[in-house]
Each structure stands twice: as structure tokens, then as C-alpha cells.
Amino acid sequence: MRLLPVLALTMAFPVVALAADPHSYAQPVTVRVTHLDLDLKLDFGKRELAGNATLKLDWKDVKAKDLVLDTRDLKIDAVEAVDASGKGTPLKFALAPRDKELGSKLTIAAPTHPASVRITYATVPEASGLQWLTPEQTADKKQPFMFSQSESIHARSWVPLQDSPAIRFTYDAHISAPKDVRVVMSAINDAKHPLDGNFSFDQPHPIPSYLLAIAAGDIAVKETGPRSAVYAEPSVVGKAAHEFEDTEKLIATTEKLYGPYAWGRYDILVLPPSFPFGGMENPNMTFATPTVLVGDKSLVSLVSHELAHSWSGNLVTSAAWRDIWLNEGFTTYVQGRITEAVYGKALADEEALLSARALQKGIGQMPANAQKLTPDPRGIGADDALSDVAYDKGSWFLRTLEQRFGRENFDAYLKGYFAHFAFQSIDTDTMFAYLKANLLDKYPGKMSEAEARAWIWQPGIPKDAPLPSSPRFDAIDRERTDFLSGKLAADKLDAKGWNTQEWMYFLDRLPDVTPLAKIKEIDAAWHLTGTPNAEIGMRWYAHAIAAGDKDVWTAAAEHMTRIGRLYLTTPVYRAFARTPEGLAFAKETYAKAKSGYHPMTQQAVERILAGKARKK
């Protein structure tokens, strides 16, 4: 591994002890899982993964009597201590009643401190971390499909383990599947593997449980570079390979900035539309939404983002969900640097401005605790921590550091940070101690400790937070103002050459309730209803519904049914839910779309329809 010589020079800085994870039952001060060996059978008919998980253990407390693991809705059949020869000895175990968020604590009596335990179990069809799709719910409609989404605390729904980002382990796996089905995991995948129903995987680098991933279905492969390929359904793989043809360039660019890529290969799996996120940074294989396949590479910043996680998140990981900004804020900053280097500063600045303006608009509506980069975890669920604050305020803070200390100095700091904490999980206090020693104190007078602490531990955005400039956005602001005041007709907007980001910016800064006549005028000129671009569509439908334009309802329902990505679907549901008639229509649409949604999307939409969704 090329990173090791660098690490040997930097490991002297101490890592502080980490607090207990409130979102896990695990007791890592007593015993830690260091390796996971999975042997599972995949059954589409039963919608089930079943088999064994063998956990290698490092006992820390000589007085400990139990191994405590996280589970959610698993059927535990047996638990055994495993000796060096592989022989199993039964162990007593108890599965606690189910907690709505945390699942069921699995307590295994292990007073003799076995080196390994083997758990025989099966998942349930409704496992929160798995989605099972019928052939009709896929792009090609020929074979069923299954994929996992373990972040934040959903790995426990398909593997019994210590489900906390503070605990890292290596893993290997053997998966039995129907023939003609390809299985992939968050490990090195063999593009030429025969579809013989017998797949083996090895992840030699220690990863946290939320990065454990699996998918299976009618998956084709197309190489995009010497260490990258696209995996997708046959009808999608060609389009995806074209959209992501710059992947090797992105990897090489990031390596120049922040050091060697530590994971060997970087592949991308394009999932069916029900995938609830834009992308998931599973090691070696990013899981990606098809909504970024718009044909012009305008949304490939998603690849920049997920690739950046190979340094910030996968290599250096937040130890608890309250610290998730250490993953997402750092990654969003690195994403911007990759985009700037490969696609130009103008696009990077536009994307930074889009996120900053959206955060400025919405942060004041959030509770004060939710406005902090490190919120008090009480009352905040693990999934809730993945908010715009973690991404956008976090990256804004890092852009501020770059501005204050200079790009050369900040790049050297960040490269050292990634090497220093490689393959570790850390909290914000640990990060801040390193920041203070290696940036704030090293270059005095650039930013005070108090200023840096305010960014992290105080609500809101500092008044002197710098923003990039964008002449294109400035022109759009002027045109939008003239259009709304009646000085400029919609068909005279200079929008023929707008990219996706520029349309997003124009729509984002329309009034929350734009006059219906103005909405009709925009649609007559630019035909946004029915757009295949989901980023534009989500914004357009939300505005049109708020304005009272019932002519868009059918197209909006098609958008909501076709797309399961939370970020692109829930805003349209929210717009409908603001009126009784709209709410009734949204409920009808959801009844038809529900079976194609991931469990996480179902839960989010049901909260909106029940009037329980939090304001963002």
C-alpha cells in the first residue's frame, strides 16, 4: 500500500479517546470486532440474505462477560464460539425488544473470551438497509435486483455487528446467488467474473460498518479507465460509461492534491431509480443514482463528491454521526477542488454559490442545535445528522480556511491531515486539536481559535463568511429581477445556453410563491414541465405547485413515481402537502409509487403526508 511510508512519518500525533456512540449498543471499550467473514445465500424469492457472520474479536476488558452487537429485525438462529480449527461451541444469547431507531440489542454470553463468534441468521424482506426490486421495477425489466444502503445505521438490518462509525474492521465474503446474476460489494470487484452464482470478496482495509455494501442483479460492466469501470443494467451501462468517462482524470487530479488513492480500484454502480441518495461512497464501488445521467456531464460533480470520500470519509472517518461534517463538509470542499481542476473555476464557483445561497435561505428556520456543525446528539437521529449544515456549512468553513491561510498552506495541511489520520475514525475535538497545531498556531494572525470554534460549535453562519463570485449568476439575478418586475418577458431570458446549475440558480431564487401568471409564462417559453433533468424538474414542480398551476400535476406525479432519490422527490411532496387538495393528490400518487421506493424514502414521504416532517 503506497500510503504506508507517509503514515510512518505522521502517526506521532495522539488520537484522543472517543465518547460512546449514542446510536449503537456496541461496547468497544470492552471488545472490538476487527474482522468480518460473511457466508450468505441471496434468495430473491424470499427477499432474504441468510447464512453466517463470523466476527473476529479483540477483547479489551479481562472482566468482560458479554459481547453486545447491533441488530434490527434479524432472525437469529444460533451463536457459536469458534476455535482455531473452525469448530463451533454453542453460546447463549438474548435479543432485546426492538427500539424504533436502534433496533434490538443482541447480547451474547462469552465469559471465556472466544477469538471469534459465528452467528447464523437471516434478514427479513422489510430490512431497512436492503431494497428488493421486482423485474418491473428495474430499467430493463428482465431480472430482480437487490441493493443495500447501510448509512447511517442500517447495516445492522442485514448483518449483526458493531454498527458504529467509530469501529473499523476488514472483511471477506462469500455470496451464493442465482446464476446469471452478478453480485458486487464494497471491495475489489472482478469485471470478468463468471455469472456462476459463486462470488467471493476481500476488503483488506479497515472500514466502518456503514460502508459495508452489496448489490445483485442484471448488471453489465464497461471499463472507463485503467482502474475504473461502470456497472449498470445493460440498457444503462453505455450511457453511464459516457457520462463518467472522465473518472480516471478525476482520480489522478485528486491524487495530485491530496496524496495516493489508497483503495486500488474505483468503480461506479448505477442503480435503479429507487436508490434514495445521489451517491453512496462505498469503498472501491460508489453506488450512484441514474438521475445524474443527463447526457452533458453537468451533474458529474456527484462522482467528484463520492470519489473525494475516498480520502475524507472512507480514509479519515467521523467517529459518530454528530461529527458527520468531518465526512461531508470536507468531501464537499474536496469535490469543489476536483471540479475546479477538471471542469474549471466557473463551474466550481457556481456549485459553491448554489449550496451557500440555499443554506443562507434555510438555516434560520432550523433549531439552533441543528445549525451547529457538531450538534448535541440528544434528540437527533443518526439519519438526521446528514443535513445541509454538515455538507454546506462544513465546506464553507474549509473554503474560509483556504482563503485566510492561502491555498498552498491549506493544501499542505489537508494532505497531511489525510495521511496522519488514515484508516482512523476521529471526532471533532481530535480534528480541532490537529487544526490548531498544524494551521492556526503555525500561521498566527490568520484566524483566531475563537473564530474557528464559532464556525464549528455555534449556530448560524459567521457574518464575514466569504462567497465566491459568479458573473453568470450575477447576470441571472438581474434577469430574474427584471422578469419578475415585468421589464423582461420570459422568452427574452438569455437562458438558451444555461447549464443545469444556472437553471437551478434561477429557480432557487424565485419567490417561494411566484405569481401563477409568471409560472405559466416561464413554461410557455422554456417547456420545463416534463423535463428529463430531475434537478430542474424538482425545483420547477415545487414552484409551479406552490403557484397553483394544476396543469403540472400529472407531470409532477410522473417525476415522483419515476424517481426515488430523497432529495429530488420529497420537495415535490412537501409542495403538494401544503393544501388539502394537493395532499389528497400526493397520497394517491404515493399509493401508486410506494412499492418502487426504498424504505428510507417511504419513511420520509409518510412523515410529510402525516404532517410530521421537520422543516429544513
Side-chain angles (χ1 to χ4, degrees):
M1 189 173 64
R2 290 184 292 167
L3 207 54
L4 285 177
V6 179
L7 296 178
L9 299 175
T10 58
M11 290 300 292
F13 196 85
V15 178
V16 299
L18 300 173
D21 185 345
H23 300 113
S24 171
Y25 292 118
Q27 300 171 355
V29 296
T30 297
V31 57
R32 276 183 177 252
V33 172
T34 60
H35 181 78
L36 167 66
D37 180 3
L38 283 174
D39 189 357
L40 300 174
K41 180 182 179 181
L42 187 154
D43 190 321
F44 282 110
K46 293 182 179 179
R47 298 160 68 97
E48 175 188 85
L49 291 173
N52 300 315
T54 303
L55 309 177
K56 186 177 180 181
L57 305 173
D58 178 13
W59 291 90
K60 304 288 188 181
D61 184 352
V62 296
K63 298 180 181 179
K65 296 181 180 179
D66 299 323
L67 167 65
V68 176
L69 301 175
D70 294 301
T71 76
R72 181 187 290 128
D73 302 325
L74 296 180
K75 297 179 287 186
I76 308 296
D77 295 324
V79 180
E80 301 170 293
V82 181
D83 64 20
S85 68
K87 180 183 177 182
T89 303
L91 295 175
K92 294 181 179 180
F93 66 92
L95 200 59
R98 186 186 193 276
D99 176 85
K100 185 176 181 181
E101 181 180 11
L102 301 184
S104 299
K105 178 169 66 173
L106 175 61
T107 303
I108 300 168
T112 61
H113 293 184
S116 298
V117 298
R118 181 166 56 227
I119 302 163
T120 303
Y121 73 99
T123 63
V124 298
E126 301 80 20
S128 64
L130 301 175
Q131 185 171 21
W132 301 87
L133 301 175
T134 64
E136 293 72 29
Q137 293 170 316
T138 67
D140 290 357
K141 305 186 187 309
K142 291 181 179 179
Q143 292 185 16
F145 203 104
M146 181 276 292
F147 65 87
S148 68
Q149 175 53 41
S150 294
E151 191 179 26
S152 55
I153 57 171
H154 301 280
R156 66 190 65 181
S157 74
W158 64 283
V159 183
L161 38 58
Q162 293 179 317
D163 195 10
S164 168
I167 302 164
R168 306 176 74 104
F169 54 87
T170 55
Y171 82 83
D172 56 72
H174 172 256
I175 309 296
S176 300
K179 290 186 178 181
D180 299 326
V181 165
R182 185 184 300 277
V183 180
V184 296
M185 292 193 75
S186 52
I188 296 291
N189 290 269
D190 179 6
K192 297 179 174 62
H193 195 293
L195 305 185
D196 58 2
N198 186 24
F199 290 83
S200 294
F201 304 91
D202 174 36
Q203 177 52 268
H205 301 300
I207 65 168
S209 54
Y210 75 87
L211 295 178
L212 192 63
I214 187 171
D218 184 12
I219 301 172
V221 188
K222 196 172 181 64
E223 298 284 343
T224 53
R227 49 182 166 170
S228 64
V230 167
Y231 290 65
E233 292 184 71
S235 68
V236 177
V237 72
K239 183 179 180 180
H242 171 73
E243 202 86 3
F244 302 145
E245 64 184 359
D246 294 334
T247 299
E248 176 58 33
K249 187 187 298 184
L250 298 174
I251 299 170
T253 296
T254 318
E255 288 185 312
K256 288 179 182 177
L257 289 169
Y258 303 118
Y261 178 73
W263 304 87
R265 285 191 62 85
Y266 179 77
D267 296 327
I268 301 170
L269 170 66
V270 179
L271 289 166
S274 60
F275 184 52
F277 296 125
M280 181 62 211
E281 64 273 16
N282 300 311
N284 297 112
M285 179 168 278
T286 281
F287 284 15
T289 172
T291 60
V292 301
L293 303 180
V294 294
D296 61 0
K297 300 184 184 179
S298 62
L299 298 179
V300 296
S301 58
L302 174 118
V303 177
S304 301
H305 184 92
E306 305 310 333
L307 171 64
H309 268 303
S310 300
W311 284 261
S312 49
N314 297 5
L315 192 65
V316 184
T317 305
S318 61
W321 295 107
R322 74 180 298 244
D323 298 304
I324 195 62
W325 81 278
L326 297 179
N327 289 14
E328 299 300 352
F330 276 66
T331 292
T332 304
Y333 171 81
V334 173
Q335 166 197 326
R337 294 294 304 279
I338 299 170
T339 298
E340 177 181 330
V342 177
Y343 299 108
K345 188 173 187 298
L347 180 60
D349 286 347
E350 285 187 353
E351 292 186 341
L353 267 173
L354 270 172
S355 66
R357 293 299 191 196
L359 185 65
Q360 284 178 318
K361 182 177 180 180
I363 196 169
Q365 302 171 34
M366 302 177 186
N369 186 46
Q371 299 178 31
K372 302 175 185 177
L373 285 177
T374 51
D376 184 328
R378 289 175 294 183
I380 292 183
D383 287 340
D384 299 334
L386 289 159
S387 73
D388 293 344
V389 171
Y391 290 78
D392 300 332
K393 184 179 177 181
S395 59
W396 202 343
F397 173 45
L398 297 192
R399 290 197 304 272
T400 303
L401 290 172
E402 179 200 320
Q403 184 190 71
R404 295 284 191 92
F405 290 90
R407 176 166 284 189
E408 183 178 352
N409 291 336
F410 188 64
D411 279 355
Y413 159 78
L414 202 52
K415 187 174 182 179
Y417 168 85
F418 291 140
H420 180 84
F421 291 113
F423 298 111
Q424 296 185 56
S425 297
I426 66 172
D427 59 15
T428 300
D429 288 336
T430 303
M431 182 284 304
F432 193 83
Y434 188 85
L435 176 75
K436 184 176 184 301
N438 292 277
L439 201 64
L440 303 183
D441 293 348
K442 189 175 181 179
Y443 304 101
K446 303 290 186 181
M447 178 183 282
S448 69
E449 181 178 343
E451 286 181 279
R453 286 187 173 276
W455 267 100
I456 297 170
W457 282 286
Q458 294 299 317
I461 303 164
K463 292 181 179 179
D464 61 350
L467 283 171
S469 60
S470 171
R472 297 273 291 176
F473 276 12
D474 291 343
I476 290 170
D477 281 334
R478 291 190 293 271
E479 289 197 42
R480 187 193 308 102
T481 298
D482 288 347
F483 164 68
L484 291 170
S485 68
K487 294 180 181 178
L488 186 70
D491 60 1
K492 300 301 181 183
L493 291 168
D494 187 24
K496 190 170 290 185
W498 286 357
N499 63 24
T500 298
Q501 287 75 12
E502 288 155 1
W503 268 111
M504 290 162 63
Y505 185 71
F506 175 81
L507 294 169
D508 276 349
R509 294 177 70 79
L510 286 174
D512 289 343
V513 181
T514 304
L516 178 58
K518 293 294 182 182
I519 291 292
K520 290 288 193 182
E521 189 181 347
I522 293 170
D523 209 16
W526 300 103
H527 311 292
L528 298 186
T529 299
T531 174
N533 188 315
E535 287 276 6
I536 295 172
M538 174 267 284
R539 290 165 168 82
W540 171 247
Y541 295 127
H543 275 298
I545 293 162
D549 187 358
K550 293 189 69 173
D551 290 342
V552 308
W553 282 24
T554 299
E558 190 278 332
H559 171 102
M560 295 151 70
T561 304
R562 175 171 54 91
I563 297 166
R565 184 179 172 187
L566 281 160
Y567 154 72
L568 294 175
T569 302
T570 53
V572 187
Y573 275 103
R574 287 194 195 97
F576 273 124
R578 291 190 180 104
T579 66
E581 188 179 5
L583 178 61
F585 182 82
K587 288 180 177 179
E588 290 177 10
T589 302
Y590 178 62
K592 298 173 185 175
K594 178 179 178 179
S595 63
Y597 286 162
H598 187 276
M600 296 169 73
T601 307
Q602 292 176 2
Q603 184 181 35
V605 172
E606 287 168 8
R607 285 175 61 90
I608 292 169
L609 299 181
K612 298 178 181 178
R614 298 179 314 280
K615 289 184 177 180
K616 287 188 66 179

